């Protein structure tokens, strides 16, 4: 006679990584990519202004930075499920309202204010959903133990697939169906992320609500106690200034200087995502054999050299290829960052520390938008060169400091 399986509710299956982590992350990443790359294209298409495009890029990122501290505190307090569902549902509502309102507005100040407000509001909501999805991925990585880098490679691969399809889809939808077509697609991905949100009780979730500023202090104290993670975040922050400048300037350079369409802008980042995705797949096996530091150092060298070369090119094809090489190097460094972060940050303060690290990594992006808005298009090449030099110096110093850290030379597998 077979033993009883117990009460029916006790046999509830444990969600797999595919259903519980990867699918909701994929839907949120799709909305994230289309929002990040599509909104500046929308601003350029509606205002025809390079300065306003750069300003919109800054407005898209500045509210995100303010949202990170609160988002981390909310995840630690309420868990990943509630935060991801709420943020995704609100983002869907905002873009649907915009899709209905924009066609009714007259060109000029009203539509300019509307798209700027859209950039700011979607930026905030996107970062809430991202922190929730990233925290869920961090929990899954810790549960994977010494194979955490494999989970992080899959998560990064999902992000890169979204970046592959998102910009191109945003450009094509905007060109063929107008703003409404692109915004409805963002709403669909947001609703799917809401419906598929992982049912996960975050380990170490704070029992008592922690004030936002206290959460930032907690994250800062934790980061200072982890010098390896701190140096890596510092180097990647300087690298992100160059990457953010290229992202903010891409619509202006490709459309105004090269004479290509908005769909061609999306194609650049889609090709870059393919290169980064291939790099992530390779890094997964190479890290198993050689450890984190060699992979990170090589990726940093590739990224720095490609960024220096971008400022010297004057053709669309060369620009596309070099951006792809740059993002391939960035993909390798991101695998190293995510693996190190999932191993070193304690569970009890993961949300607060994750929020602070991402805040530091993304501060350069609004600065890049301000630079594009302030600098005449003819002088953008000089600014890109200066930021590329700063990127190379920052990454060199960071990985020189990290070379002595024993955990970065260990073979995770």
């Amino acid at each position: 006679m077979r033993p009883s399986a117990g009460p029916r509710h006790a046999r509830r299956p444990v969600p797999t990584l595919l259903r519980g982590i990867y699918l909701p992350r994929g839907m949120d990443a799709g909305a994230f990519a289309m929002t990040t790359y599509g909104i500046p294209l929308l601003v350029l298409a509606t205002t025809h202004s390079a300065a306003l495009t750069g300003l919109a890029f800054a407005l898209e990122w500045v509210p995100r930075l303010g949202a990170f501290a609160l988002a981390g505190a909310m995840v630690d307090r309420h868990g990943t499920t509630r935060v991801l569902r709420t943020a995704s549902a609100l983002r869907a509502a905002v873009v649907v309202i915009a899709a209905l309102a924009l066609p009714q507005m007259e060109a000029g100040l009203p539509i300019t204010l509307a798209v700027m407000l859209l950039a700011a509001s979607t930026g905030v909501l996107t970062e809430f959903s991202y922190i929730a999805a990233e925290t869920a991925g961090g929990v899954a990585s810790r549960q994977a133990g010494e194979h955490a880098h494999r989970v992080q490679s899959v998560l990064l691969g999902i992000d890169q697939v979204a970046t592959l399809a998102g910009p191109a889809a945003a450009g094509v939808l905007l060109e063929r169906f107008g703003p409404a077509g692109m915004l409805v697609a963002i709403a669909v991905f947001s609703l799917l992320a809401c419906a598929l949100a992982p049912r996960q009780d975050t380990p170490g979730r704070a029992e008592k609500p922690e004030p936002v500023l206290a959460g930032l202090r907690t994250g800062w104290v934790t980061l200072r106690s982890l010098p390896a993670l701190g140096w890596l975040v510092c180097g990647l922050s300087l690298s992100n200034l160059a990457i953010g400048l290229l992202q903010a300037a891409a619509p202006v350079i490709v459309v105004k200087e090269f004479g290509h369409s908005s769909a061609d802008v999306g194609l650049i980042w889609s090709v870059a995502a393919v290169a980064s995705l291939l790099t992530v797949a390779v890094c997964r096996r190479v890290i198993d054999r050689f450890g984190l530091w060699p992979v990170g150092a090589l990726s940093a060298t590739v990224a720095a050299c490609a960024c220096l070369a971008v400022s010297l090119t004057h053709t669309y094809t060369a620009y596309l290829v070099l951006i792809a090489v740059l993002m391939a190097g960035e993909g390798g460094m991101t695998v190293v960052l995510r693996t190190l972060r999932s191993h070193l940050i304690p569970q009890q303060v993961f949300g607060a520390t994750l929020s602070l690290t991402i805040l530091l990594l993304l501060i350069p992006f609004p600065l890049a938008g301000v630079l594009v808005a302030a600098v005449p298009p003819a002088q953008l090449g000089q600014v890109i060169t200066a930021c590329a030099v700063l990127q190379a110096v920052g990454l060199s110093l960071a990985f020189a400091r990290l070379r002595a850290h024993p955990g970065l030379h260990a073979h995770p597998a």
Side-chain angles (χ1 to χ4, degrees):
M1 186 174 181
R2 291 187 304 174
S4 174
R8 181 171 299 177
H9 66 271
R11 293 179 294 171
R12 185 178 63 182
V14 177
T16 63
L17 282 174
L18 176 62
R19 171 60 183 86
I21 302 296
Y22 298 151
L23 278 178
R25 177 60 171 266
M27 298 303 102
D28 183 68
F32 186 106
M34 293 192 70
T35 300
T36 301
Y37 295 96
I39 297 299
L41 288 174
L42 174 62
V43 173
L44 184 63
T46 54
T47 65
H48 307 287
S49 169
L52 289 177
T53 301
L55 182 59
F57 189 86
L59 287 176
E60 189 178 15
W61 284 101
V62 168
R64 293 185 180 191
L65 301 183
F68 270 118
L70 180 59
M74 291 297 100
V75 169
D76 286 340
R77 185 183 308 174
H78 300 293
T80 57
T81 304
R82 184 180 301 178
V83 174
L84 180 56
R85 284 178 175 171
T86 302
S88 298
L90 289 176
R91 180 175 55 202
V94 167
V95 295
V96 167
I97 292 172
L100 296 174
L102 288 178
Q104 311 301 324
M105 293 184 177
E106 297 181 358
L109 183 60
I111 199 167
T112 299
L113 293 176
V115 293
M116 293 299 181
L117 180 60
L118 176 65
S121 58
T122 54
V124 170
L125 295 171
T126 294
E127 291 315 314
F128 269 86
S129 66
Y130 175 76
I131 288 291
E134 185 74 356
T135 302
V139 173
S141 295
R142 287 192 297 273
Q143 293 172 347
E146 63 183 10
H147 298 296
H149 66 288
R150 297 184 178 182
V151 176
Q152 289 297 329
S153 295
V154 175
L155 293 174
L156 183 56
I158 291 171
D159 289 345
Q160 295 305 325
V161 169
T163 306
L164 185 160
V172 171
L173 289 171
L174 181 61
E175 191 170 330
R176 294 190 178 182
F177 303 103
M182 186 189 74
L183 294 173
V184 168
I186 295 174
V188 170
F189 278 106
S190 299
L191 291 175
L192 287 173
C194 177
L196 296 172
R199 298 177 180 178
Q200 181 185 72
D201 290 326
T202 306
R205 191 171 67 188
E207 294 181 1
K208 296 182 179 180
E210 186 178 38
V212 172
L213 292 180
L216 281 177
R217 286 195 298 270
T218 299
W220 178 250
V221 170
T222 305
L223 188 61
R224 289 187 62 185
S225 69
L226 304 170
L229 183 60
W231 276 107
L232 187 56
V233 169
C234 181
L236 288 178
S237 296
L238 293 176
S239 179
N240 281 351
L241 177 61
I243 293 174
L245 183 62
L246 290 173
Q247 287 184 3
V252 179
I253 293 174
V254 174
V255 176
K256 298 292 185 180
E257 182 177 339
F258 295 155
H260 284 250
S261 67
S262 59
D264 291 325
V265 179
L267 179 63
I268 288 178
W269 299 111
S270 295
V271 172
V274 173
S276 185
L277 184 61
L278 294 174
T279 302
V280 169
V282 172
C283 284
R284 177 176 176 176
R285 295 185 178 275
V286 175
I287 290 174
D288 281 341
R289 183 171 182 180
F290 297 104
L292 290 171
W293 188 87
V295 174
L298 177 61
S299 300
T301 302
V302 170
C305 292
C307 193
L308 286 168
V310 165
S311 62
L312 304 177
T313 187
H314 301 287
T315 65
Y316 175 80
T317 302
Y319 191 83
L320 182 149
V321 171
L322 289 172
I323 290 292
V325 174
L326 167 62
M327 297 311 293
E330 184 71 11
M333 290 189 291
T334 304
V335 173
V336 174
L337 170 67
R338 291 187 175 191
T339 304
L340 192 65
R341 190 169 60 191
S342 64
H343 276 304
L344 295 182
I345 300 177
Q347 295 180 2
Q348 293 78 5
V349 292
F350 190 87
T353 310
L354 173 66
S355 297
L356 179 66
T357 59
I358 298 177
L359 175 65
L360 295 175
L361 289 171
L362 295 186
I363 283 176
F365 284 91
L367 177 59
V370 172
L371 286 175
V372 172
V375 175
Q379 298 178 8
L380 280 177
Q382 300 174 11
V383 178
I384 293 174
T385 301
C387 290
V389 172
L390 185 62
Q391 176 199 41
V393 172
L395 291 176
S396 298
L397 290 175
F399 279 94
R401 290 280 185 171
L402 289 173
R403 189 171 186 175
H405 192 278
L408 288 171
H409 294 273
H411 299 175

